[in-house]
Amino acid sequence: MSILIKGGTVVTADQSYQADVYCDEGIIQAIGKDLDVPKDCQIIDADQLLVMPGGIDPHTHMQLPFMGTVASEDFFTGTSAGAAGGTTSIIDFVIPNPQQPLMEAYNQWMEWAEKSATDYSFHVAITWWDDSVYQDMATLVNEHGVNSFKHFMAYKNAIMAEDETLVKSFSRCLELGAMPTVHAENGDLVYHLQKEILAKGIRGPEGHPVSRPPEVEGEAANRAIRIAQALNVPIYAVHVSCEESLEAITRARSEGQRVYGEVLAGHLEIDDSVYRNKDFEFAAAHVMSPPFRPKKHQEALWKGLQSGNLQTTATDHCCFCADQKAAGKDDFSLIPNGTAGIEDRLSIMWDSGVVTGRLTPNEFVAVTSTNAAKIFNIYPQKGSISVGADADIVIWDANGTRTISAKTHHQNVDFNIFEGRTVQGLAVHTLSRGNLVWTEGELRTVKGAGKYIKRPAFSSDFEAVKKQASLHEPTAVNRD
Ligand code: URQ
Ligand code: ZN
Ligand code: ZN
């Protein structure tokens, strides 16, 4: 079925203009005015609406086995909830257990993700090291389109990567043309502080942020950045939550080091007062790592986005319901870490970013879609409105409002960290590869319709760059 999006304003990361967009066979076929389209083409009236690249969430954990339980959101319900909010692609995480072969874990996650409603890709975590890991990284890059490897510097005695593993894996990433990414918290410090705080009898969720203060994140971020600098490899810091890690990124970038930073919609908008709420369920529902921070960090993070020192937004969508969070009723270190957000990221970023004047609509597109596509090497297939790109499109009502609630959201979790907030900016229609998956409040997602996105390795030699460039012929926009 071909679709003509008529009368809208196309908004990309670099320009805004009036044009119709014609999609067929999952691809954007033409952009312009008075387009010649088939008679049976479906027409979407986009008058007064914005036509933007569908959101890309580069950080989700659907149905993640973690801390003795499994995240409540699966790949179908999670990608469907994303579609309802205008997100059309996710980059999730394969997280092998220590000693588990990477390819075994990769195949397991690929099986779980087959039910996805929209497109998906995977970062692969390096949670241990031996020659097989070294070899499997090459297999993943060269045969499976993985171009990024995650390193948890936190979660000691579980999935934490020690410095030796960071050095070996970052070096391997450089050899393969892959991007190392890090969850930057010093896991040994967290472990020590958790024990210290519990021994003092502080066992409720209020202990969680005290065990992971900003300096614990700042130290790890700087350490990872310095290791990357010494090895001359780029690096991407996930969920940057505080001034201390932003400072490390900003310093490195100002010296020309290739460092990228991601910020979560939650960390931009929610502060650490949530952990002092007397209701255990409410406070525990906000337990994630790094924790929500004191208010001063939020303004710093917004400035990081506005200055270009942070390039992407994500959600770290990792859902646990109240009965799962209760595992930590008497010991906050046992509360499964994670919160939701995939359905609300774009509305939060529009309401707090564009409506307030912090971001232009073009910058909104950059930080919710295009920058992630460029950093992870899937632009312009994803993250663009251009002829030849996948027809992943959100048709956006810049003035519409909605009130966020767990009672009405499509996320498979019983809590919403943005509960009760009325936001301006919402998805009216969402297209995934040219199929309407969300339209005027109705989900039309199909289980298994999502496709795996291969992300090519980055290349340094010019011949390979020329070859890669030929894959993405510049696309003409036939606007008269
Ligand atoms: O650390 C992560 O990114 C995963 C395990 C989700 N949980 C969290 O608290 N961020
Ligand atoms: Zn993390
Ligand atoms: Zn995560």
Coordinates of all heavy atoms in Angstrom, one line a residue, residues 362-422:
N362 N 14.4 21.5 14.5 CA 15.4 20.8 13.8 C 16.4 20.1 14.8 O 16.8 19.0 14.6 CB 16.2 21.7 12.8 CG 15.2 22.5 11.9 OD1 15.0 23.7 12.1 ND2 14.7 21.8 10.9
E363 N 16.7 20.8 15.8 CA 17.6 20.2 16.9 C 16.8 19.1 17.6 O 17.4 18.1 17.9 CB 18.0 21.3 17.9 CG 19.0 22.3 17.3 CD 19.1 23.5 18.1 OE1 18.2 23.8 19.0 OE2 20.1 24.3 18.0
F364 N 15.5 19.2 17.7 CA 14.7 18.1 18.3 C 14.9 16.9 17.5 O 15.1 15.8 18.0 CB 13.2 18.5 18.3 CG 12.3 17.4 18.6 CD1 11.9 17.1 19.9 CD2 11.7 16.7 17.5 CE1 11.0 16.1 20.1 CE2 10.8 15.7 17.8 CZ 10.4 15.4 19.1
V365 N 14.8 17.0 16.1 CA 15.0 15.9 15.2 C 16.4 15.3 15.4 O 16.6 14.1 15.4 CB 14.7 16.2 13.8 CG1 15.0 15.1 12.8 CG2 13.2 16.6 13.6
A366 N 17.3 16.2 15.5 CA 18.7 15.7 15.6 C 18.9 14.8 16.8 O 19.5 13.7 16.8 CB 19.7 16.9 15.6
V367 N 18.4 15.3 18.0 CA 18.7 14.6 19.2 C 17.7 13.4 19.5 O 18.0 12.6 20.4 CB 18.7 15.5 20.4 CG1 19.7 16.7 20.3 CG2 17.3 16.1 20.7
T368 N 16.6 13.3 18.7 CA 15.7 12.2 19.0 C 15.9 11.1 17.9 O 15.3 10.1 18.0 CB 14.3 12.6 19.0 OG1 13.9 13.3 17.7 CG2 14.0 13.6 20.1
S369 N 16.6 11.5 16.8 CA 16.7 10.5 15.7 C 18.0 10.6 14.9 O 18.8 9.6 14.9 CB 15.5 10.8 14.7 OG 15.5 9.9 13.7
T370 N 18.2 11.7 14.2 CA 19.3 11.8 13.2 C 20.7 11.5 13.8 O 21.5 10.8 13.2 CB 19.2 13.1 12.5 OG1 17.9 13.3 12.0 CG2 20.2 13.2 11.4
N371 N 21.0 12.1 14.9 CA 22.3 12.0 15.5 C 22.6 10.5 15.8 O 23.7 10.0 15.6 CB 22.5 12.8 16.7 CG 22.6 14.3 16.4 OD1 22.7 14.7 15.2 ND2 22.6 15.2 17.4
A372 N 21.6 9.8 16.4 CA 21.8 8.4 16.7 C 22.1 7.6 15.4 O 22.9 6.7 15.4 CB 20.6 7.8 17.5
A373 N 21.3 8.0 14.4 CA 21.5 7.3 13.1 C 22.9 7.5 12.6 O 23.6 6.6 12.1 CB 20.5 7.7 12.1
K374 N 23.4 8.7 12.7 CA 24.8 9.0 12.2 C 25.9 8.4 13.0 O 26.8 7.8 12.5 CB 25.0 10.6 12.2 CG 24.2 11.3 11.1 CD 24.4 12.8 11.1 CE 23.6 13.4 9.9 NZ 23.8 14.9 9.9
I375 N 25.7 8.5 14.3 CA 26.7 7.9 15.2 C 26.8 6.4 15.1 O 27.9 5.8 15.1 CB 26.4 8.3 16.7 CG1 26.6 9.8 16.9 CG2 27.3 7.5 17.7 CD1 26.1 10.3 18.2
F376 N 25.7 5.7 14.9 CA 25.7 4.3 14.7 C 25.6 3.8 13.3 O 25.2 2.7 13.0 CB 24.6 3.7 15.6 CG 25.0 3.9 17.1 CD1 24.2 4.7 17.9 CD2 26.1 3.3 17.7 CE1 24.5 5.0 19.2 CE2 26.4 3.5 19.0 CZ 25.6 4.3 19.8
N377 N 25.9 4.8 12.4 CA 26.2 4.4 11.0 C 25.0 3.8 10.2 O 25.2 2.9 9.4 CB 27.4 3.5 10.9 CG 28.1 3.7 9.6 OD1 27.9 4.7 8.9 ND2 28.9 2.7 9.2
I378 N 23.8 4.3 10.5 CA 22.6 3.9 9.7 C 21.9 5.0 9.0 O 20.8 4.9 8.6 CB 21.6 3.1 10.6 CG1 21.3 3.8 11.8 CG2 22.2 1.7 10.9 CD1 20.2 3.1 12.7
Y379 N 22.6 6.2 8.9 CA 22.1 7.4 8.2 C 22.5 7.3 6.8 O 23.6 6.9 6.5 CB 22.6 8.6 8.9 CG 22.1 9.9 8.3 CD1 20.9 10.5 8.7 CD2 22.9 10.6 7.3 CE1 20.5 11.6 8.1 CE2 22.4 11.7 6.7 CZ 21.2 12.3 7.2 OH 20.8 13.4 6.6
P380 N 21.7 7.7 5.8 CA 20.3 8.2 5.9 C 19.2 7.2 5.8 O 18.1 7.5 5.7 CB 20.3 9.1 4.7 CG 21.1 8.4 3.7 CD 22.2 7.8 4.4
Q381 N 19.6 5.9 5.8 CA 18.5 4.8 5.8 C 17.5 5.1 6.9 O 16.3 5.0 6.7 CB 19.1 3.4 6.0 CG 18.1 2.3 6.1 CD 18.6 1.0 6.7 OE1 19.8 0.9 6.9 NE2 17.7 0.1 7.0
K382 N 18.1 5.4 8.1 CA 17.3 5.8 9.2 C 17.6 7.3 9.6 O 18.7 7.7 9.3 CB 17.5 4.9 10.4 CG 17.2 3.4 10.2 CD 15.8 3.1 10.0 CE 15.5 1.6 10.0 NZ 14.1 1.3 9.6
G383 N 16.7 7.9 10.3 CA 17.0 9.3 10.8 C 16.9 10.4 9.8 O 17.4 11.5 10.0
S384 N 16.3 10.1 8.6 CA 16.2 11.1 7.6 C 14.9 11.1 6.9 O 14.2 10.0 6.9 CB 17.3 11.0 6.6 OG 17.0 10.1 5.6
I385 N 14.5 12.2 6.3 CA 13.4 12.2 5.4 C 14.0 12.6 4.1 O 14.3 13.7 3.7 CB 12.3 13.3 5.7 CG1 11.7 13.1 7.1 CG2 11.2 13.4 4.6 CD1 10.7 12.0 7.2
S386 N 14.4 11.5 3.3 CA 15.0 11.7 2.0 C 14.7 10.6 1.1 O 14.3 9.4 1.6 CB 16.6 11.7 2.3 OG 17.0 10.5 2.9
V387 N 14.7 10.8 -0.2 CA 14.3 9.8 -1.1 C 15.3 8.6 -1.0 O 16.5 8.8 -1.0 CB 14.4 10.4 -2.6 CG1 14.2 9.2 -3.6 CG2 13.3 11.4 -2.7
G388 N 14.7 7.4 -0.9 CA 15.5 6.2 -0.7 C 15.6 5.8 0.8 O 16.0 4.6 1.0
A389 N 15.3 6.6 1.7 CA 15.4 6.3 3.1 C 14.2 5.4 3.4 O 13.1 5.4 2.8 CB 15.3 7.5 4.0
D390 N 14.3 4.6 4.5 CA 13.2 3.8 5.0 C 12.1 4.8 5.4 O 12.3 5.9 6.0 CB 13.6 3.0 6.3 CG 14.5 1.8 5.9 OD1 14.7 1.6 4.7 OD2 15.0 1.2 6.9
A391 N 10.8 4.4 5.1 CA 9.7 5.3 5.4 C 9.3 5.1 6.9 O 8.2 4.7 7.2 CB 8.5 5.0 4.5
D392 N 10.3 5.5 7.7 CA 10.0 5.6 9.2 C 9.8 7.0 9.5 O 10.7 7.9 9.5 CB 11.3 5.1 10.0 CG 11.5 3.6 9.9 OD1 10.7 2.9 9.1 OD2 12.4 3.1 10.5
I393 N 8.5 7.4 9.8 CA 8.1 8.8 9.8 C 7.1 9.0 10.9 O 6.2 8.1 11.2 CB 7.4 9.2 8.5 CG1 8.4 9.0 7.3 CG2 6.8 10.6 8.5 CD1 7.7 9.1 5.9
V394 N 7.2 10.1 11.7 CA 6.3 10.5 12.6 C 5.6 11.8 12.2 O 6.3 12.7 11.7 CB 6.9 10.6 14.1 CG1 8.0 11.7 14.1 CG2 5.7 11.0 15.1
I395 N 4.3 11.8 12.2 CA 3.5 13.0 11.8 C 3.0 13.6 13.1 O 2.2 13.0 13.8 CB 2.3 12.6 10.8 CG1 3.0 11.9 9.6 CG2 1.5 13.8 10.4 CD1 2.0 11.3 8.7
W396 N 3.5 14.8 13.4 CA 3.6 15.3 14.7 C 2.7 16.6 14.8 O 2.7 17.4 14.0 CB 5.0 15.8 15.0 CG 5.3 16.1 16.4 CD1 5.5 17.4 16.9 CD2 5.6 15.2 17.5 NE1 5.8 17.3 18.2 CE2 5.9 16.0 18.6 CE3 5.6 13.8 17.6 CZ2 6.2 15.4 19.9 CZ3 5.8 13.3 18.8 CH2 6.2 14.1 20.0
D397 N 1.9 16.6 15.9 CA 1.1 17.7 16.3 C 1.8 18.5 17.3 O 1.9 18.1 18.5 CB -0.3 17.3 16.8 CG -1.2 18.4 17.2 OD1 -0.7 19.6 17.1 OD2 -2.4 18.2 17.5
A398 N 2.4 19.6 16.9 CA 3.2 20.4 17.7 C 2.5 21.1 18.9 O 3.0 21.5 19.9 CB 4.0 21.5 16.9
N399 N 1.2 21.2 18.7 CA 0.3 22.0 19.7 C -0.6 21.0 20.5 O -1.2 21.5 21.5 CB -0.5 23.0 18.9 CG 0.4 24.0 18.2 OD1 1.3 24.6 18.8 ND2 0.3 24.2 16.9
G400 N -0.7 19.8 20.0 CA -1.6 18.9 20.7 C -1.1 18.6 22.1 O 0.2 18.7 22.4
T401 N -1.9 18.3 23.1 CA -1.5 18.0 24.4 C -2.1 16.6 24.9 O -3.1 16.2 24.3 CB -1.9 19.1 25.5 OG1 -3.4 19.1 25.5 CG2 -1.4 20.4 25.1
R402 N -1.4 16.0 25.8 CA -1.9 14.8 26.4 C -1.3 14.7 27.8 O -0.3 15.3 28.1 CB -1.5 13.5 25.6 CG 0.0 13.2 25.5 CD 0.3 12.0 24.6 NE 1.7 11.8 24.5 CZ 2.4 10.9 25.3 NH1 1.7 10.2 26.2 NH2 3.7 10.7 25.1
T403 N -2.0 14.0 28.7 CA -1.6 13.8 30.0 C -1.1 12.4 30.2 O -1.8 11.4 29.9 CB -2.7 14.1 31.1 OG1 -3.1 15.5 30.9 CG2 -2.2 13.9 32.5
I404 N 0.2 12.3 30.6 CA 0.8 11.0 30.7 C 0.4 10.2 31.9 O 0.3 10.8 33.0 CB 2.4 11.2 30.8 CG1 2.9 11.8 29.5 CG2 3.1 9.9 31.1 CD1 4.3 12.2 29.5
S405 N 0.1 8.9 31.8 CA -0.3 8.1 32.9 C -0.2 6.6 32.7 O -0.4 6.2 31.5 CB -1.8 8.3 33.3 OG -2.2 7.4 34.3
A406 N 0.2 5.9 33.7 CA 0.3 4.4 33.6 C -1.1 3.8 33.3 O -1.2 2.7 32.7 CB 0.9 3.8 34.9
K407 N -2.1 4.6 33.6 CA -3.5 4.1 33.3 C -3.8 4.0 31.8 O -4.7 3.3 31.4 CB -4.5 5.0 34.1 CG -4.5 4.9 35.6 CD -5.6 5.8 36.2 CE -5.5 5.9 37.7 NZ -4.2 6.7 38.0
T408 N -3.1 4.9 31.1 CA -3.4 5.0 29.7 C -2.2 4.7 28.7 O -2.4 4.5 27.5 CB -3.9 6.4 29.3 OG1 -2.9 7.3 29.8 CG2 -5.2 6.7 30.0
H409 N -1.0 4.5 29.3 CA 0.1 4.3 28.4 C 0.1 2.9 27.8 O -0.7 2.0 28.3 CB 1.4 4.6 29.1 CG 1.9 3.7 30.1 ND1 2.8 4.0 31.1 CD2 1.5 2.4 30.4 CE1 3.0 3.0 31.9 NE2 2.3 2.0 31.5
H410 N 0.8 2.6 26.8 CA 0.8 1.3 26.1 C 2.0 0.5 26.6 O 2.2 -0.6 26.1 CB 0.9 1.5 24.6 CG -0.3 2.3 24.1 ND1 -0.4 3.7 24.1 CD2 -1.5 1.8 23.5 CE1 -1.5 4.0 23.5 NE2 -2.2 2.9 23.2
Q411 N 2.8 1.0 27.5 CA 4.0 0.3 28.0 C 3.5 -0.8 29.0 O 2.6 -0.5 29.8 CB 4.9 1.3 28.8 CG 5.5 2.3 27.8 CD 6.1 3.5 28.5 OE1 7.1 4.1 28.0 NE2 5.7 4.0 29.6
N412 N 4.1 -1.9 28.9 CA 3.7 -3.1 29.8 C 4.4 -3.0 31.2 O 5.2 -3.8 31.5 CB 4.1 -4.4 29.1 CG 3.5 -5.6 29.9 OD1 2.4 -5.4 30.5 ND2 4.1 -6.7 29.9
V413 N 4.0 -2.0 31.9 CA 4.5 -1.7 33.2 C 3.5 -0.9 34.0 O 2.8 -0.2 33.4 CB 5.9 -1.0 33.2 CG1 5.8 0.4 32.6 CG2 6.6 -1.0 34.5
D414 N 3.5 -1.1 35.4 CA 2.4 -0.5 36.1 C 2.8 0.9 36.7 O 2.2 1.3 37.7 CB 2.0 -1.5 37.3 CG 3.2 -1.8 38.2 OD1 4.3 -1.3 38.0 OD2 3.0 -2.7 39.0
F415 N 3.8 1.5 36.2 CA 4.3 2.8 36.7 C 4.8 3.6 35.6 O 5.3 3.1 34.6 CB 5.4 2.6 37.8 CG 5.7 3.8 38.6 CD1 4.9 4.1 39.7 CD2 6.6 4.7 38.2 CE1 5.2 5.2 40.5 CE2 6.9 5.9 38.9 CZ 6.1 6.1 40.1
N416 N 4.6 5.0 35.7 CA 5.2 5.9 34.7 C 5.9 7.0 35.4 O 5.2 7.7 36.2 CB 4.1 6.4 33.8 CG 4.6 7.1 32.6 OD1 5.5 8.0 32.7 ND2 4.2 6.7 31.4
I417 N 7.2 7.2 35.1 CA 7.9 8.2 35.9 C 7.4 9.6 35.6 O 7.7 10.5 36.3 CB 9.4 8.0 35.6 CG1 9.8 8.2 34.2 CG2 10.0 6.8 36.2 CD1 11.3 8.2 33.8
F418 N 6.7 9.7 34.5 CA 6.2 11.1 34.1 C 4.7 11.2 34.5 O 4.0 12.0 34.0 CB 6.4 11.3 32.6 CG 7.8 11.2 32.1 CD1 8.2 10.2 31.3 CD2 8.8 12.1 32.6 CE1 9.5 10.0 30.9 CE2 10.1 12.0 32.1 CZ 10.4 10.9 31.3
E419 N 4.2 10.3 35.4 CA 2.8 10.2 35.7 C 2.2 11.6 36.0 O 2.7 12.4 36.8 CB 2.6 9.4 37.0 CG 1.1 9.1 37.4 CD 0.4 8.2 36.5 OE1 1.0 7.3 35.9 OE2 -0.8 8.4 36.3
G420 N 1.0 11.9 35.3 CA 0.3 13.1 35.6 C 0.8 14.3 34.9 O 0.1 15.4 34.9
R421 N 1.8 14.2 34.2 CA 2.4 15.4 33.5 C 1.6 15.6 32.2 O 1.5 14.7 31.4 CB 3.9 15.2 33.2 CG 4.5 16.3 32.4 CD 6.0 16.3 32.5 NE 6.6 17.2 31.5 CZ 7.8 17.5 31.5 NH1 8.7 16.9 32.3 NH2 8.3 18.4 30.6
T422 N 1.2 16.8 31.9 CA 0.6 17.2 30.7 C 1.6 17.7 29.8 O 2.3 18.7 30.1 CB -0.6 18.2 30.9 OG1 -1.6 17.5 31.7 CG2 -1.2 18.6 29.5

